[in-house]
């Protein structure tokens, strides 16, 4: 069934510091816009699976299960996605516990359809990118339609522009806007927050943060390649005069040090994974987001941050990752130089017209975070493992987890709500109940381990779900 529901798009009174429940009766809880794309389909996969689990655990009670909307421009294509998702999840046509998946017709070029979609749902997950081209319509619709919003973008200048354009209105309306809710940059944010909060719980302040990422079974999503091409060719949302800075100026030295050119051309020994590591090419996105998040959560600008990629499992035969890391850096340099050449970009644009990467559900993402106290007497270690390749299925799991947490935090019954306006997801949900996002990610298949260790070797296992 198509969903067309009108509700009031704004609230009155002083600007709330926190998000408010969406006004009016809404037939849908979570709607995935752009579900016919590969990443959007992966988000829908995890949301539908959660809805099915809810329905089965509640003995078929429809009132207690998540009401899901899948949105796109073409009814036929959305119907095909729904059928393929039910087949992949294993939901039979005659299953009495099958979740509802309603079709919503919306087009980023049609403002009326976008506002109707936003007014029909409590939470909207936007997956229609590149966001510099197509993303603003969903932001505007949510701010004015009273729906809470998240997306899977990695485009920092675009988010800064949207924050300057719609941030105040979102705060006035009590709308939470959570960009960077996919692989960019949920694992980095969670890693920083877990080890930082673990040290705080023991009376220590974090002075150094080391992050290492390993992605297995990975490929390049089409949207990511298009975003890179847009940036190289000057078609992306570069920062303009008058655009707000994405993070406070006090954190600029932190970002400059973390994104030093030397960090992108030299291997580095990372003690948190006992291996040589290479540059994480997503650090250009992660670091600004971590600066914004740190300022909100309460980690000071004196923090030192390292964001690296573990290229292979360390062994003595591969010199503890040194050989693979050096080959990876060489390949990055070669690819980077290729993007500078117009003939290569023309060839890649043509290939992308027929290229599609559906993701790899058998892939795996691993994030290791090590936070050291400023006085060097203690450290905290966090490990997050998520099934699926980074760009598609893991991104889908992260975004679905954020959507489920945002839905729960903005119910009328919730007393601890996220901040309104534009914030990275972990920072926005920091004001909610302890462990909210961690619990939702674990529900979807992630695993989280957290330890605290003193300089003399005493080690303690901590419950990540009991930290902010």
């Amino acid at each position: 069934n198509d969903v067309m529901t009108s509700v009031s798009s704004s609230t009155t009174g002083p600007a709330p510091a926190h998000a408010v429940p969406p006004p009016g009766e809404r037939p849908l809880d979570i709607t995935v816009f752009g579900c016919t794309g590969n990443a959007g389909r992966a988000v829908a996969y995890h949301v539908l699976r959660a809805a099915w689990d809810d329905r089965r655990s509640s003995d078929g009670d429809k009132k207690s299960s998540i009401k899901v909307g899948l949105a796109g421009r073409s009814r036929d294509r959305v119907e095909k996605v729904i059928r393929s998702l039910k087949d992949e999840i294993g939901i039979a046509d005659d299953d009495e516990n099958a979740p509802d998946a309603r079709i919503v017709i919306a087009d980023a070029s049609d403002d009326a359809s976008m506002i109707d979609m936003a007014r029909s749902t409590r939470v909207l997950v936007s997956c229609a990118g590149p966001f510099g081209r197509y993303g603003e319509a969903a932001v505007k619709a949510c701010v004015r339609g009273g729906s809470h919003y998240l997306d899977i973008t990695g485009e920092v200048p675009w988010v800064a522009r949207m924050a300057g354009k719609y941030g105040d209105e979102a705060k006035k309306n009590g709308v939470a806007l959570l960009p960077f809710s996919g692989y960019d940059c949920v694992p980095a944010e969670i890693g920083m927050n877990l080890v930082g909060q673990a040290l705080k719980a023991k009376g220590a302040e974090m002075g150094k943060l080391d992050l290492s990422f390993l992605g297995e079974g990975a490929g390049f999503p089409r949207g990511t390649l298009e975003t890179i091409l847009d940036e190289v060719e000057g078609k992306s949302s570069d920062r303009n005069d008058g655009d707000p800075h994405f993070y406070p100026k006090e954190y600029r030295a932190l970002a400059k040090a973390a994104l030093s050119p030397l960090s992108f051309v030299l291997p580095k020994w990372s003690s948190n994974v006992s291996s040589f590591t290479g540059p994480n090419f997503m650090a250009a996105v992660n670091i600004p987001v971590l600066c914004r998040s740190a300022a909100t959560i309460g980690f000071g600008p004196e923090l030192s941050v390292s964001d690296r990629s573990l290229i292979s499992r360390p062994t003595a035969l591969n010199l503890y990752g040194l050989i693979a890391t050096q080959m990876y850096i060489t390949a990055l340099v070669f690819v980077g130089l290729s993007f500078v050449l117009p003939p290569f970009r023309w060839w890649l644009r043509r290939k992308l017209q027929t290229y599609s990467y559906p993701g790899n559900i058998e892939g795996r993402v691993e994030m290791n975070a090590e936070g050291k106290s400023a006085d060097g007497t203690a450290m905290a270690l966090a490990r997050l493992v998520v099934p699926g390749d980074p760009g598609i299925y893991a991104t889908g799991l992260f975004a679905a987890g954020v959507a489920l947490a945002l839905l729960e935090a903005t119910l009328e019954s919730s007393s601890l709500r996220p901040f309104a306006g534009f914030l990275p997801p972990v920072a926005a949900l920091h004001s909610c109940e302890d462990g909210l996002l961690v619990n939702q990610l674990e529900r979807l298949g992630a695993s989280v381990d957290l330890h605290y260790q003193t300089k003399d070797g005493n080690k303690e296992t901590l419950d990540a779900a009991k930290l902010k």
Side-chain angles (χ1 to χ4, degrees), residues 2 31 51 53 55 83 87-88 93 117 125 162 178 193 199 209 221 239 241 262 280 289 293 302-303 307-308 373:
D2 292 340
T31 296
D53 289 342
R55 182 72 67 84
R83 287 196 297 270
D87 288 343
E88 184 174 354
D93 291 336
M117 173 179 64
V125 187
M162 293 299 99
L178 279 54
N193 187 58
L199 289 169
L209 171 67
R239 189 177 184 279
D241 291 340
L262 284 178
N280 181 6
V289 171
S293 184
E302 301 81 11
L303 182 66
D307 185 1
R308 308 291 291 179
S373 63

Side-chain angles (χ1 to χ4, degrees), residues 55-324:
R55 182 72 67 84
R56 288 184 296 172
S57 63
S58 61
D59 296 324
D61 183 4
K62 293 184 178 182
K63 292 183 179 180
S64 64
S65 64
I66 305 164
K67 301 174 183 66
V68 181
L70 298 185
R73 293 178 296 174
S74 165
R75 173 183 294 276
D76 289 343
R77 292 185 65 191
V78 175
E79 287 178 342
K80 289 179 181 177
V81 167
I82 292 174
R83 287 196 297 270
S84 69
L85 286 173
K86 287 185 175 180
D87 288 343
E88 184 174 354
I89 296 170
I91 304 173
D93 291 336
D94 58 353
D95 187 343
E96 61 182 12
N97 292 322
D100 293 329
R102 303 192 190 185
I103 297 173
V104 182
I105 305 303
D107 189 329
S109 64
D110 181 352
D111 287 348
S113 70
M114 295 297 289
I115 196 71
D116 283 335
M117 173 179 64
R119 289 174 176 171
S120 72
T121 190
R122 302 180 69 88
V123 173
L124 181 71
V125 187
S126 179
C127 304
F131 288 83
R133 299 187 209 170
Y134 311 116
E136 183 172 355
V139 172
K140 180 170 69 174
C142 286
V143 170
R144 296 174 183 174
S147 172
H148 300 298
Y149 166 97
L150 62 127
D151 64 39
I152 56 172
T153 189
E155 301 168 45
V156 175
W158 175 79
V159 172
R161 183 167 302 163
M162 293 299 99
K165 196 169 183 178
Y166 298 104
D168 289 343
E169 187 177 358
K171 291 178 182 178
K172 177 183 176 182
N173 293 351
V175 172
L177 301 163
L178 279 54
F180 309 110
S181 290
Y183 180 69
D184 315 328
C185 302
V186 172
E189 248 203 305
I190 282 184
M192 178 182 73
N193 187 58
L194 286 179
V195 296
Q197 296 297 340
L199 289 169
K200 276 189 177 182
K202 298 296 183 178
E205 290 294 324
M206 181 165 61
K208 184 178 181 182
L209 171 67
D210 288 323
L211 299 170
S212 296
F213 294 85
L214 174 65
E216 298 176 338
F220 262 105
R222 176 179 174 179
T224 299
L225 291 170
E226 288 185 339
T227 298
I228 293 173
L229 285 171
D230 282 355
E231 290 185 0
V232 172
E233 295 177 349
K235 298 177 182 178
S236 62
S237 297
D238 292 332
R239 189 177 184 279
N240 294 334
D241 291 340
D243 287 349
H245 287 283
F246 185 68
Y247 52 85
K249 64 180 181 181
E250 293 81 6
Y251 288 80
R252 292 178 194 169
L254 186 163
K256 183 177 180 180
L259 297 173
S260 164
L262 284 178
S263 68
F264 283 87
V265 296
L266 295 175
K268 176 185 175 182
W269 179 259
S270 295
S271 60
N272 59 335
V273 287
S274 301
S275 175
F276 285 98
T277 56
N280 181 6
F281 69 91
M282 297 312 303
V285 181
N286 284 341
I287 295 301
V289 171
L290 291 178
C291 288
R292 178 68 176 268
S293 184
T296 304
I297 295 172
F299 302 129
E302 301 81 11
L303 182 66
S304 169
V305 179
S306 174
D307 185 1
R308 308 291 291 179
S309 287
L310 178 63
I311 309 307
S312 65
R313 300 287 181 184
T315 66
L317 290 177
N318 63 19
L319 300 182
Y320 296 96
L322 179 61
I323 296 174

